Amino acid sequence: MISLHTPRHKPIGVEILVRGIVQGVGFRPFIYNLATRFGISGTVTNTGDGVVIRAMARSDRLALFLDALEHQPPPLARIVSIEQRPLTDPVADGSFTILESTAGALTNTAIPPDIAICDDCRRELLDPADRRYRYPFINCTNCGPRFTIVETIPYDRPKTSMKVFPMCPDCLQEYRNPANRRFHAQPNACPVCGPRLLWHGRNGDRIECADPLREAAAALHQGEIVALRGLGGFHLAVDATSPQAVAVLRQRKGRPDKPLAVMLPDIEIAQDHFQINAAERRLLLSSEHPIVLLRPRRRSWLAANLAPGVDVVGIMLPYTPLHFLLFAETLCPPALVMTSGNISGAPICTANHDAIDRLAAIADYFLLHDREIVTRVDDSVCRVIAGRTRLLRRARGYVPAPLTVPWPLPPILGCGGGLKSTFCLGRDRSVILSQHIGDLFNLEALTFYTESIRHLRQVFEISPEVVACDLHPDYLSSRYAEELDLPLYRIQHHHAHAVAVMAEHGIADPVLAIVMDGTGYGPDGTIWGGDFLLADLTTATRLGHLSPLPLPGGDRAAAEPWRMAIAALYLLFGDDLSSASVLPPALAQIPHAHREAIGSMVKNSFNSPSTSSCGRLFDAIASILGVRQYTSYEGQAAMELEALARTSASSTWKNELIAARSTSLPRSLVMNHEKMEICSEEFVRMAVHALHKGENPGRIALNFHFQLIRSITELTLRLMDQTGIRRIVLAGGCMQNSLLLEGLLYVFKNSKVEVYTGETVPINDGAISLGQTIIGGLRHVSRDSHESD
């Protein structure tokens, strides 16, 4: 640190190391201009360890320089640490120089995520007088591709996929000028020297045309499907106002029901057709430009089959110049489906030849470009719940920005789970959570997973000495971990969920963790999914849970909710299951023989493992209310049940929830055993009883949410009295349900309870690898310290 006692007129020298997201964000020109402003002599360079500044000036000027460095960094920079030490070698007086990048022995710098087009570039893009007018790859230091084009560090052009595009003299002059907005912008290019668009038919042949964008807009106008190569992979685009075009896309892609993301031209149109609050508006316009889940206004002209059965649609705004130019075409539809360019269940396509091979059965045309994508990255997905951003899928715009944790970790790899897979690399106090990989159940997904691990390891120069994985022995991620031949730590699924939230918020002390999801393999060999844990950073004890229900047919029950409903009803009513006073009308449509078969399986404990899964309880209630008996995507029945409940929720429903606390819970809902339980069957009994009384299904769905929230909070408050712990963590995929999460947060805060949940880290299985990394790393450190004693 600069000594306050140094005479202000005396020149002193200091070497400064800045770590964080400080490459590819205009940091060196910022330092150069700052040094010029304050009369600092010296140098600045990128290294594998961060940005190194060697500075000499009077102490008062250096103090001002350091203050501006810390408090006024470039908008896209994120400083993690600033270290100083006295300068041992003198620097040339009267000049400040930007040096070539060097590699360091240890990589502590961060590659920035891909950034949405900035306002300056958008103005140039639409300015006929600008030399980059209508150039679909315009970018600068403040925007454009980063992570998706980088091969290794330091982040310089020769180490990106832009290396094959030599800059023309004009671009090179910009690139070398510290005062220019494109100084060391690695993707810098123009129509003379940069990437270009190509137009191809579904057979793969190139179609010569004057303007590929105009052709793409015309095809979309005609209801055709266009495979569009973007930043981190391909999108399948179609007219989002045409039910017929959307239906064709669904049929060809084999995606009958799963919601489709939509891109709208600007925020004004989005606000005309969707309910958007201030937090959602900020997200839509942020540099990350994620997909944001929004509720449509009744007058929306979007196709009704975009998100059947649910009450939110994923909306994003244009984030590349290509998107802006496409919407600027006269024939372009006013809203476009932009869904992942893949066959359902496979990773998104990135290479032109691969997309033509794999998407020819879906797309009518291909809008391609010749800038290679090094790393595939999906769009990120967010939802605002209880006034805060909840990142549901962490990918483009957020990855690979590291997270800083308070605990030093060994070099470690957390391998994640099965659904919504990610992996996580950790070292020292930094963890890098990967982009969304997807469901890890086939060879293509496993290949994407292993390629991504190799790439991030190379970029951050981390060689894991330890590995952590899920307890479930059949996950491909667990098998991958076993094959690494490193010290291996198997982490219980819900403990990992809890610690991921603790890591995000820097919590070290024990917490009561409420984890509600679909599946979590328990150390007792049963399937958990609705659990109350006493958790710290290395250990967890199960204090309570939802009472188990049979899972007839194992995983098949997750795809056929009626199985869960029949199983729960059999537990309640036994052989009286088919009587008119018991069987809900929706289940009467299931063939009698099928119902009998499930009853027999439950009665004889045949292929019916028990599960405390909250997700399967949602499925059972959805089935009983006639919401859905068969699903085509994970979580569908629960999402549609939430949407049904919303139809009966007033604007003051949270106050109703607080008022309902004054009435007693059904005595059987919370049962005191050795481990406290919430009686899952009681929710089923209440739903059946309400149906036979003729109550509205929407009101029954809402009451189910109310009673579940009340039961969870009641059991938690009992556990708080028992343990003395008043810090609560909420986690698990069921917490993506906005009614459930908002209700729990509201009741706990009304009870003066300190409560935390995921925000910048997914609350679902996308955070499992982070929790594994922390738990496994700290267990390993503890083991080593014990061995050395």
Side-chain angles (χ1 to χ4, degrees), residues 143-401:
C143 68
R146 301 291 196 273
F147 180 51
T148 52
I149 64 169
V150 69
E151 295 168 350
T152 186
I153 64 154
Y155 173 60
D156 286 329
R157 193 178 181 103
K159 297 179 180 180
T160 73
S161 59
M162 286 297 296
K163 63 188 175 186
V164 299
F165 298 101
M167 280 181 278
C168 66
D170 287 340
C171 286
L172 195 58
Q173 184 178 34
E174 294 169 333
Y175 183 83
R176 289 174 173 170
N177 180 5
N180 192 283
R181 199 175 85 251
R182 294 187 169 90
F183 175 74
H184 279 216
Q186 307 309 336
N188 188 34
C190 73
V192 173
C193 62
R196 57 181 180 157
L197 293 178
L198 308 166
W199 184 240
H200 285 244
R202 70 186 311 170
N203 63 359
D205 293 340
R206 182 176 176 185
I207 302 172
E208 295 295 338
C209 62
D211 188 346
L213 276 165
R214 191 164 300 144
E215 297 295 329
L220 292 164
H221 177 72
Q222 294 296 324
E224 308 277 24
I225 299 170
V226 175
L228 181 153
R229 195 185 199 191
L231 267 184
F234 275 79
H235 281 120
L236 290 166
V238 75
D239 182 355
T241 69
S242 167
Q244 296 79 15
V246 173
V248 171
L249 174 62
R250 287 193 176 283
Q251 185 272 323
R252 291 187 189 175
K253 194 176 179 185
R255 185 172 171 158
D257 306 302
K258 193 172 184 180
L260 297 165
V262 175
M263 182 175 283
L264 298 177
D266 54 54
I267 189 65
E268 287 75 22
I269 290 177
Q271 289 179 145
D272 283 344
H273 295 279
F274 289 86
Q275 302 172 42
I276 300 176
N277 61 31
E280 291 161 341
R281 178 186 170 91
R282 283 194 299 272
L283 268 177
L284 287 167
L285 295 171
S286 67
S287 61
E288 293 85 6
H289 265 52
I291 296 170
V292 183
L293 300 187
L294 301 172
R295 301 185 72 190
R297 298 187 188 278
R298 293 189 182 278
R299 65 177 183 274
S300 176
W301 38 236
L302 292 176
N305 53 347
L306 288 170
V310 299
D311 61 347
V312 291
V313 180
I315 297 299
M316 58 181 158
L317 300 181
Y319 57 85
T320 71
L322 188 152
H323 296 146
F324 277 99
L325 293 174
L326 187 57
F327 276 115
E329 291 292 332
T330 304
L331 289 178
C332 184
L336 294 174
V337 168
M338 286 281 186
T339 191
S340 300
N342 61 349
I343 305 296
S344 290
I348 54 172
C349 298
T350 56
N352 289 341
H353 64 85
D354 184 46
I356 290 171
D357 287 345
R358 295 167 61 190
L359 302 180
I362 302 176
D364 298 297
Y365 294 97
F366 292 84
L367 182 59
L368 309 178
H369 63 72
D370 55 356
R371 183 181 67 204
E372 293 307 315
I373 298 169
V374 176
T375 302
R376 72 186 84 205
V377 181
D378 269 298
D379 293 313
S380 294
V381 181
C382 298
R383 189 173 190 178
V384 175
I385 301 177
R388 305 295 291 269
T389 298
R390 316 290 169 177
L391 199 55
L392 307 182
R393 185 168 78 190
R394 189 174 184 269
R396 177 188 52 78
Y398 297 91
V399 174

Side-chain angles (χ1 to χ4, degrees), residues 482-515:
E482 292 167 357
E483 293 170 1
L484 294 179
D485 196 26
L486 292 170
L488 175 61
Y489 294 85
R490 299 181 188 274
I491 312 300
Q492 202 280 321
H493 194 83
H494 297 141
H495 187 201
H497 264 305
V499 172
V501 177
M502 294 171 72
E504 178 181 352
H505 296 284
I507 300 170
D509 295 329
V511 300
L512 287 175
I514 303 164
V515 186

Side-chain angles (χ1 to χ4, degrees), residues 410-430:
I412 182 170
L413 168 66
C415 291
L419 294 172
K420 297 179 175 63
S421 294
T422 62
F423 61 89
C424 185
L425 290 166
R427 181 181 58 204
D428 298 329
R429 287 179 168 81
S430 184

Side-chain angles (χ1 to χ4, degrees), residues 473-778:
D474 294 331
Y475 283 164
L476 292 180
S477 55
S478 298
R479 294 179 179 177
Y480 174 83
E482 292 167 357
E483 293 170 1
L484 294 179
D485 196 26
L486 292 170
L488 175 61
Y489 294 85
R490 299 181 188 274
I491 312 300
Q492 202 280 321
H493 194 83
H494 297 141
H495 187 201
H497 264 305
V499 172
V501 177
M502 294 171 72
E504 178 181 352
H505 296 284
I507 300 170
D509 295 329
V511 300
L512 287 175
I514 303 164
V515 186
M516 300 285 149
D517 66 3
T519 300
Y521 193 80
D524 56 1
T526 66
I527 302 168
W528 294 7
D531 295 287
F532 297 75
L533 307 177
L534 173 58
D536 61 30
L537 295 172
T538 57
T539 63
T541 303
R542 193 186 198 196
L543 301 181
H545 53 84
L546 298 182
S547 64
L549 293 173
L551 192 66
D555 289 343
R556 191 171 175 183
E560 300 180 5
W562 68 270
R563 289 172 173 258
M564 291 305 304
I566 295 294
L569 289 169
Y570 188 86
L571 285 186
L572 283 169
F573 304 108
D575 293 331
D576 292 335
L577 176 64
S578 295
S579 69
S581 62
V582 171
L583 193 67
L587 285 170
Q589 306 303 312
I590 302 295
H592 177 78
H594 291 183
R595 301 197 308 265
E596 287 292 306
I598 296 302
S600 177
M601 290 172 68
V602 173
K603 182 177 181 180
N604 296 296
S605 300
F606 173 72
N607 193 21
S608 299
S610 66
T611 178
S612 62
S613 168
C614 187
R616 300 293 76 79
L617 176 59
F618 269 90
D619 288 349
I621 301 298
S623 169
I624 288 167
L625 297 184
V627 172
R628 179 156 297 278
Q629 308 304 340
Y630 299 89
T631 64
S632 63
Y633 63 90
E634 190 256 337
Q636 182 178 9
M639 290 170 62
E640 293 181 356
L641 183 66
E642 177 192 354
L644 176 63
R646 280 278 182 193
T647 63
S648 292
S650 69
S651 60
T652 59
W653 69 268
K654 285 182 281 190
N655 293 329
E656 295 173 29
L657 185 59
I658 294 296
R661 292 187 66 201
S662 61
T663 62
S664 59
L665 281 166
R667 288 195 329 186
S668 57
L669 205 51
V670 177
M671 306 182 299
N672 283 304
H673 286 227
E674 182 181 344
K675 284 182 168 51
M676 293 187 184
E677 291 187 352
I678 294 173
C679 184
S680 301
E681 303 100 291
E682 189 61 33
F683 296 103
V684 174
R685 188 193 305 274
M686 288 189 294
V688 171
H689 181 64
L691 268 181
H692 284 292
K693 284 173 57 182
E695 289 188 23
N696 175 274
R699 189 67 206 178
I700 300 171
L702 182 62
N703 186 56
F704 163 70
H705 284 79
F706 273 25
Q707 299 302 337
L708 181 59
I709 291 166
R710 292 181 64 206
S711 300
I712 290 172
T713 52
E714 174 67 23
L715 181 50
T716 304
L717 292 171
R718 294 187 192 184
L719 292 173
M720 289 169 60
D721 290 340
Q722 189 181 95
T723 62
I725 293 174
R726 297 194 62 81
R727 181 175 281 168
I728 307 299
V729 158
L730 305 177
C734 292
M735 296 297 178
Q736 294 172 117
N737 180 313
S738 64
L739 279 172
L740 180 62
L741 183 58
E742 280 188 70
L744 288 171
L745 290 171
Y746 193 77
V747 173
F748 279 131
K749 288 180 179 177
N750 191 263
S751 302
K752 311 297 186 199
V753 174
E754 193 177 344
V755 59
Y756 297 87
T757 189
E759 295 179 21
T760 60
V761 170
I763 201 168
N764 56 42
D765 281 10
I768 287 294
S769 63
L770 170 60
Q772 292 169 349
T773 298
I774 302 299
I775 298 166
L778 294 181

